[in-house]
mmCIF file of all heavy atoms in Angstrom:
data_model
loop_
_atom_site.group_PDB
_atom_site.id
_atom_site.type_symbol
_atom_site.label_atom_id
_atom_site.label_comp_id
_atom_site.label_asym_id
_atom_site.label_seq_id
_atom_site.Cartn_x
_atom_site.Cartn_y
_atom_site.Cartn_z
ATOM 1 N N ASP A 27 14.328 -5.381 32.115
ATOM 2 C CA ASP A 27 13.013 -5.649 31.523
ATOM 3 C C ASP A 27 12.927 -6.995 30.809
ATOM 4 O O ASP A 27 11.882 -7.368 30.284
ATOM 5 C CB ASP A 27 12.653 -4.551 30.506
ATOM 6 C CG ASP A 27 12.369 -3.239 31.194
ATOM 7 O OD1 ASP A 27 12.027 -3.277 32.393
ATOM 8 O OD2 ASP A 27 12.486 -2.191 30.542
ATOM 9 N N THR A 31 13.025 -15.987 32.339
ATOM 10 C CA THR A 31 13.848 -17.142 31.982
ATOM 11 C C THR A 31 15.242 -16.707 31.545
ATOM 12 O O THR A 31 16.242 -17.165 32.090
ATOM 13 C CB THR A 31 13.180 -17.930 30.837
ATOM 14 O OG1 THR A 31 11.859 -18.291 31.241
ATOM 15 C CG2 THR A 31 13.972 -19.177 30.511
ATOM 16 N N LYS A 53 22.315 -23.470 26.018
ATOM 17 C CA LYS A 53 21.293 -22.563 26.548
ATOM 18 C C LYS A 53 21.603 -21.104 26.234
ATOM 19 O O LYS A 53 20.706 -20.324 25.912
ATOM 20 C CB LYS A 53 21.155 -22.771 28.056
ATOM 21 C CG LYS A 53 20.439 -24.082 28.355
ATOM 22 C CD LYS A 53 20.063 -24.222 29.788
ATOM 23 C CE LYS A 53 19.402 -25.586 29.965
ATOM 24 N NZ LYS A 53 19.384 -25.987 31.362
ATOM 25 N N GLN A 55 23.367 -20.085 23.707
ATOM 26 C CA GLN A 55 23.108 -19.958 22.270
ATOM 27 C C GLN A 55 21.610 -19.802 22.006
ATOM 28 O O GLN A 55 21.193 -19.022 21.153
ATOM 29 C CB GLN A 55 23.659 -21.185 21.524
ATOM 30 C CG GLN A 55 23.496 -21.118 20.019
ATOM 31 C CD GLN A 55 24.349 -20.034 19.379
ATOM 32 O OE1 GLN A 55 25.571 -20.048 19.501
ATOM 33 N NE2 GLN A 55 23.710 -19.092 18.706
ATOM 34 N N ALA A 56 20.795 -20.536 22.779
ATOM 35 C CA ALA A 56 19.341 -20.433 22.603
ATOM 36 C C ALA A 56 18.850 -19.031 22.957
ATOM 37 O O ALA A 56 17.966 -18.494 22.292
ATOM 38 C CB ALA A 56 18.627 -21.484 23.454
ATOM 39 N N ASP A 59 19.736 -16.913 20.028
ATOM 40 C CA ASP A 59 18.843 -17.192 18.892
ATOM 41 C C ASP A 59 17.442 -16.618 19.126
ATOM 42 O O ASP A 59 16.806 -16.117 18.202
ATOM 43 C CB ASP A 59 18.752 -18.705 18.642
ATOM 44 C CG ASP A 59 20.065 -19.278 18.111
ATOM 45 O OD1 ASP A 59 20.854 -18.510 17.536
ATOM 46 O OD2 ASP A 59 20.310 -20.482 18.305
ATOM 47 N N TYR A 60 16.978 -16.708 20.362
ATOM 48 C CA TYR A 60 15.640 -16.179 20.664
ATOM 49 C C TYR A 60 15.657 -14.654 20.584
ATOM 50 O O TYR A 60 14.752 -14.043 20.017
ATOM 51 C CB TYR A 60 15.196 -16.653 22.047
ATOM 52 C CG TYR A 60 13.729 -16.407 22.323
ATOM 53 C CD1 TYR A 60 12.756 -16.756 21.398
ATOM 54 C CD2 TYR A 60 13.313 -15.818 23.513
ATOM 55 C CE1 TYR A 60 11.413 -16.528 21.644
ATOM 56 C CE2 TYR A 60 11.974 -15.591 23.775
ATOM 57 C CZ TYR A 60 11.026 -15.941 22.835
ATOM 58 O OH TYR A 60 9.700 -15.717 23.086
ATOM 59 N N GLU A 63 15.493 -13.411 17.134
ATOM 60 C CA GLU A 63 14.120 -13.320 16.626
ATOM 61 C C GLU A 63 13.455 -12.047 17.168
ATOM 62 O O GLU A 63 12.792 -11.326 16.431
ATOM 63 C CB GLU A 63 13.317 -14.573 17.011
ATOM 64 C CG GLU A 63 13.808 -15.827 16.280
ATOM 65 C CD GLU A 63 12.902 -17.052 16.461
ATOM 66 O OE1 GLU A 63 11.896 -16.968 17.189
ATOM 67 O OE2 GLU A 63 13.232 -18.100 15.866
ATOM 68 N N ASN A 66 14.385 -8.882 15.424
ATOM 69 C CA ASN A 66 13.892 -8.809 14.056
ATOM 70 C C ASN A 66 12.434 -8.376 13.990
ATOM 71 O O ASN A 66 11.868 -8.252 12.915
ATOM 72 C CB ASN A 66 14.058 -10.153 13.352
ATOM 73 C CG ASN A 66 15.383 -10.238 12.627
ATOM 74 O OD1 ASN A 66 15.587 -9.529 11.647
ATOM 75 N ND2 ASN A 66 16.287 -11.048 13.132
ATOM 76 N N GLY A 68 9.616 -5.656 14.218
ATOM 77 C CA GLY A 68 9.476 -4.207 14.128
ATOM 78 C C GLY A 68 10.651 -3.561 13.413
ATOM 79 O O GLY A 68 11.547 -4.238 12.930
ATOM 80 N N TYR A 76 17.105 -3.110 25.533
ATOM 81 C CA TYR A 76 17.467 -4.202 26.443
ATOM 82 C C TYR A 76 17.557 -5.533 25.701
ATOM 83 O O TYR A 76 18.317 -6.416 26.094
ATOM 84 C CB TYR A 76 16.510 -4.271 27.645
ATOM 85 C CG TYR A 76 15.133 -4.810 27.375
ATOM 86 C CD1 TYR A 76 14.884 -6.187 27.397
ATOM 87 C CD2 TYR A 76 14.069 -3.961 27.120
ATOM 88 C CE1 TYR A 76 13.614 -6.692 27.160
ATOM 89 C CE2 TYR A 76 12.802 -4.444 26.881
ATOM 90 C CZ TYR A 76 12.581 -5.811 26.898
ATOM 91 O OH TYR A 76 11.323 -6.315 26.669
ATOM 92 N N THR A 234 20.718 -8.188 -2.370
ATOM 93 C CA THR A 234 20.577 -8.842 -1.077
ATOM 94 C C THR A 234 21.775 -8.514 -0.196
ATOM 95 O O THR A 234 22.731 -7.863 -0.641
ATOM 96 C CB THR A 234 20.435 -10.371 -1.254
ATOM 97 O OG1 THR A 234 20.183 -10.957 0.019
ATOM 98 C CG2 THR A 234 21.696 -10.986 -1.848
ATOM 99 N N GLN A 235 21.718 -8.934 1.045
ATOM 100 C CA GLN A 235 22.840 -8.749 1.958
ATOM 101 C C GLN A 235 23.313 -10.097 2.435
ATOM 102 O O GLN A 235 22.528 -11.032 2.547
ATOM 103 C CB GLN A 235 22.407 -7.921 3.165
ATOM 104 C CG GLN A 235 22.199 -6.465 2.849
ATOM 105 C CD GLN A 235 21.527 -5.762 4.002
ATOM 106 O OE1 GLN A 235 20.399 -6.063 4.357
ATOM 107 N NE2 GLN A 235 22.234 -4.821 4.606
ATOM 108 N N HIS A 338 7.265 4.443 -3.514
ATOM 109 C CA HIS A 338 7.107 3.746 -2.244
ATOM 110 C C HIS A 338 7.798 4.482 -1.113
ATOM 111 O O HIS A 338 8.886 5.012 -1.269
ATOM 112 C CB HIS A 338 7.643 2.320 -2.331
ATOM 113 C CG HIS A 338 7.140 1.452 -1.233
ATOM 114 N ND1 HIS A 338 7.737 1.439 -0.003
ATOM 115 C CD2 HIS A 338 6.076 0.623 -1.163
ATOM 116 C CE1 HIS A 338 7.067 0.610 0.787
ATOM 117 N NE2 HIS A 338 6.056 0.101 0.094
ATOM 118 N N SER B 49 9.605 -20.973 27.011
ATOM 119 C CA SER B 49 10.329 -21.680 28.065
ATOM 120 C C SER B 49 9.429 -22.529 28.953
ATOM 121 O O SER B 49 9.894 -23.096 29.930
ATOM 122 C CB SER B 49 11.126 -20.691 28.922
ATOM 123 O OG SER B 49 10.264 -19.797 29.572
ATOM 124 N N GLU B 69 14.538 -24.836 36.334
ATOM 125 C CA GLU B 69 14.084 -25.594 35.181
ATOM 126 C C GLU B 69 13.463 -26.909 35.624
ATOM 127 O O GLU B 69 13.494 -27.240 36.818
ATOM 128 C CB GLU B 69 15.287 -25.859 34.267
ATOM 129 C CG GLU B 69 15.784 -24.573 33.643
ATOM 130 C CD GLU B 69 17.216 -24.649 33.205
ATOM 131 O OE1 GLU B 69 17.729 -25.754 33.050
ATOM 132 O OE2 GLU B 69 17.820 -23.573 33.023
ATOM 133 N N ASP B 96 6.110 -14.613 27.422
ATOM 134 C CA ASP B 96 7.328 -14.662 28.233
ATOM 135 C C ASP B 96 7.204 -13.881 29.535
ATOM 136 O O ASP B 96 8.063 -13.982 30.409
ATOM 137 C CB ASP B 96 8.519 -14.110 27.442
ATOM 138 C CG ASP B 96 8.854 -14.986 26.249
ATOM 139 O OD1 ASP B 96 8.515 -16.182 26.298
ATOM 140 O OD2 ASP B 96 9.437 -14.479 25.281
ATOM 141 N N TYR B 188 4.681 -12.732 14.993
ATOM 142 C CA TYR B 188 5.401 -11.830 15.884
ATOM 143 C C TYR B 188 4.897 -10.395 15.756
ATOM 144 O O TYR B 188 4.912 -9.642 16.702
ATOM 145 C CB TYR B 188 6.891 -11.860 15.569
ATOM 146 C CG TYR B 188 7.668 -12.938 16.282
ATOM 147 C CD1 TYR B 188 8.661 -13.655 15.620
ATOM 148 C CD2 TYR B 188 7.441 -13.219 17.626
ATOM 149 C CE1 TYR B 188 9.397 -14.627 16.275
ATOM 150 C CE2 TYR B 188 8.173 -14.194 18.284
ATOM 151 C CZ TYR B 188 9.150 -14.894 17.607
ATOM 152 O OH TYR B 188 9.887 -15.851 18.256
ATOM 153 N N GLU B 189 4.512 -10.000 14.556
ATOM 154 C CA GLU B 189 4.075 -8.615 14.375
ATOM 155 C C GLU B 189 3.035 -8.497 13.264
ATOM 156 O O GLU B 189 2.835 -7.447 12.697
ATOM 157 C CB GLU B 189 5.281 -7.712 14.083
ATOM 158 C CG GLU B 189 6.188 -8.266 12.985
ATOM 159 C CD GLU B 189 7.419 -7.417 12.733
ATOM 160 O OE1 GLU B 189 7.349 -6.203 12.953
ATOM 161 O OE2 GLU B 189 8.444 -7.972 12.295
ATOM 162 N N ARG B 208 8.307 -7.775 6.088
ATOM 163 C CA ARG B 208 8.929 -9.024 5.643
ATOM 164 C C ARG B 208 7.965 -9.817 4.751
ATOM 165 O O ARG B 208 8.010 -11.041 4.724
ATOM 166 C CB ARG B 208 9.367 -9.854 6.846
ATOM 167 C CG ARG B 208 10.455 -9.150 7.620
ATOM 168 C CD ARG B 208 11.048 -10.016 8.700
ATOM 169 N NE ARG B 208 11.905 -9.233 9.560
ATOM 170 C CZ ARG B 208 13.186 -8.992 9.308
ATOM 171 N NH1 ARG B 208 13.742 -9.489 8.237
ATOM 172 N NH2 ARG B 208 13.892 -8.264 10.132
ATOM 173 N N ASP B 217 3.984 -2.949 2.630
ATOM 174 C CA ASP B 217 3.192 -1.991 3.407
ATOM 175 C C ASP B 217 2.709 -2.572 4.727
ATOM 176 O O ASP B 217 2.443 -3.764 4.844
ATOM 177 C CB ASP B 217 1.975 -1.547 2.584
ATOM 178 C CG ASP B 217 2.401 -0.748 1.357
ATOM 179 O OD1 ASP B 217 3.579 -0.339 1.315
ATOM 180 O OD2 ASP B 217 1.565 -0.558 0.461
ATOM 181 N N ASN B 275 17.076 -13.239 -0.073
ATOM 182 C CA ASN B 275 17.555 -12.832 1.244
ATOM 183 C C ASN B 275 18.982 -13.286 1.479
ATOM 184 O O ASN B 275 19.604 -13.939 0.648
ATOM 185 C CB ASN B 275 16.600 -13.331 2.342
ATOM 186 C CG ASN B 275 16.511 -14.846 2.371
ATOM 187 O OD1 ASN B 275 17.431 -15.534 1.978
ATOM 188 N ND2 ASN B 275 15.399 -15.367 2.840
ATOM 189 N N ARG B 276 19.494 -12.881 2.639
ATOM 190 C CA ARG B 276 20.858 -13.165 3.060
ATOM 191 C C ARG B 276 21.258 -14.616 2.875
ATOM 192 O O ARG B 276 22.389 -14.947 2.634
ATOM 193 C CB ARG B 276 20.914 -12.876 4.566
ATOM 194 C CG ARG B 276 21.896 -11.824 4.951
ATOM 195 C CD ARG B 276 21.860 -11.696 6.452
ATOM 196 N NE ARG B 276 21.662 -10.306 6.802
ATOM 197 C CZ ARG B 276 21.143 -9.893 7.937
ATOM 198 N NH1 ARG B 276 20.730 -10.745 8.830
ATOM 199 N NH2 ARG B 276 21.027 -8.625 8.186
ATOM 200 N N SER B 309 8.053 -20.275 14.912
ATOM 201 C CA SER B 309 8.516 -18.940 14.530
ATOM 202 C C SER B 309 9.170 -18.956 13.156
ATOM 203 O O SER B 309 8.977 -18.039 12.375
ATOM 204 C CB SER B 309 9.458 -18.366 15.586
ATOM 205 O OG SER B 309 10.599 -19.183 15.729
ATOM 206 N N ARG B 310 9.946 -20.002 12.838
ATOM 207 C CA ARG B 310 10.611 -20.035 11.542
ATOM 208 C C ARG B 310 10.585 -21.422 10.922
ATOM 209 O O ARG B 310 11.487 -21.778 10.175
ATOM 210 C CB ARG B 310 12.069 -19.556 11.702
ATOM 211 C CG ARG B 310 12.171 -18.072 12.004
ATOM 212 C CD ARG B 310 13.368 -17.757 12.879
ATOM 213 N NE ARG B 310 14.599 -17.739 12.120
ATOM 214 C CZ ARG B 310 15.807 -17.687 12.674
ATOM 215 N NH1 ARG B 310 15.937 -17.660 13.984
ATOM 216 N NH2 ARG B 310 16.876 -17.663 11.935
ATOM 217 N N LYS B 328 17.382 -25.784 14.128
ATOM 218 C CA LYS B 328 18.518 -25.759 15.060
ATOM 219 C C LYS B 328 18.187 -26.459 16.372
ATOM 220 O O LYS B 328 19.069 -26.948 17.066
ATOM 221 C CB LYS B 328 18.913 -24.306 15.317
ATOM 222 C CG LYS B 328 20.242 -24.154 16.018
ATOM 223 C CD LYS B 328 20.778 -22.757 15.812
ATOM 224 C CE LYS B 328 22.038 -22.532 16.618
ATOM 225 N NZ LYS B 328 22.490 -21.142 16.503
ATOM 226 N N TYR B 329 16.904 -26.493 16.728
ATOM 227 C CA TYR B 329 16.496 -27.131 17.988
ATOM 228 C C TYR B 329 15.718 -28.424 17.737
ATOM 229 O O TYR B 329 14.996 -28.887 18.609
ATOM 230 C CB TYR B 329 15.739 -26.113 18.850
ATOM 231 C CG TYR B 329 16.701 -25.019 19.240
ATOM 232 C CD1 TYR B 329 16.880 -23.895 18.435
ATOM 233 C CD2 TYR B 329 17.539 -25.167 20.339
ATOM 234 C CE1 TYR B 329 17.844 -22.935 18.735
ATOM 235 C CE2 TYR B 329 18.500 -24.219 20.653
ATOM 236 C CZ TYR B 329 18.650 -23.121 19.853
ATOM 237 O OH TYR B 329 19.618 -22.191 20.156
ATOM 238 N N TRP B 362 9.781 -23.220 18.643
ATOM 239 C CA TRP B 362 10.850 -24.087 18.157
ATOM 240 C C TRP B 362 10.494 -25.548 18.390
ATOM 241 O O TRP B 362 11.355 -26.348 18.742
ATOM 242 C CB TRP B 362 12.170 -23.772 18.880
ATOM 243 C CG TRP B 362 12.741 -22.417 18.620
ATOM 244 C CD1 TRP B 362 12.382 -21.537 17.640
ATOM 245 C CD2 TRP B 362 13.799 -21.779 19.350
ATOM 246 N NE1 TRP B 362 13.141 -20.393 17.724
ATOM 247 C CE2 TRP B 362 14.025 -20.519 18.762
ATOM 248 C CE3 TRP B 362 14.584 -22.164 20.446
ATOM 249 C CZ2 TRP B 362 14.990 -19.633 19.239
ATOM 250 C CZ3 TRP B 362 15.545 -21.272 20.903
ATOM 251 C CH2 TRP B 362 15.746 -20.025 20.307
#
Side-chain angles (χ1 to χ4, degrees):
Chain A
D27 290 337
T31 304
K53 287 190 182 162
Q55 183 68 59
D59 291 337
Y60 192 48
E63 292 189 358
N66 269 292
Y76 74 85
T234 185
Q235 287 169 296
H338 198 277
Chain B
S49 63
E69 292 157 19
D96 294 336
Y188 273 139
E189 49 183 331
R208 295 188 190 274
D217 294 346
N275 62 27
R276 240 182 232 156
S309 61
R310 290 148 78 190
K328 192 161 174 185
Y329 295 89
W362 295 346

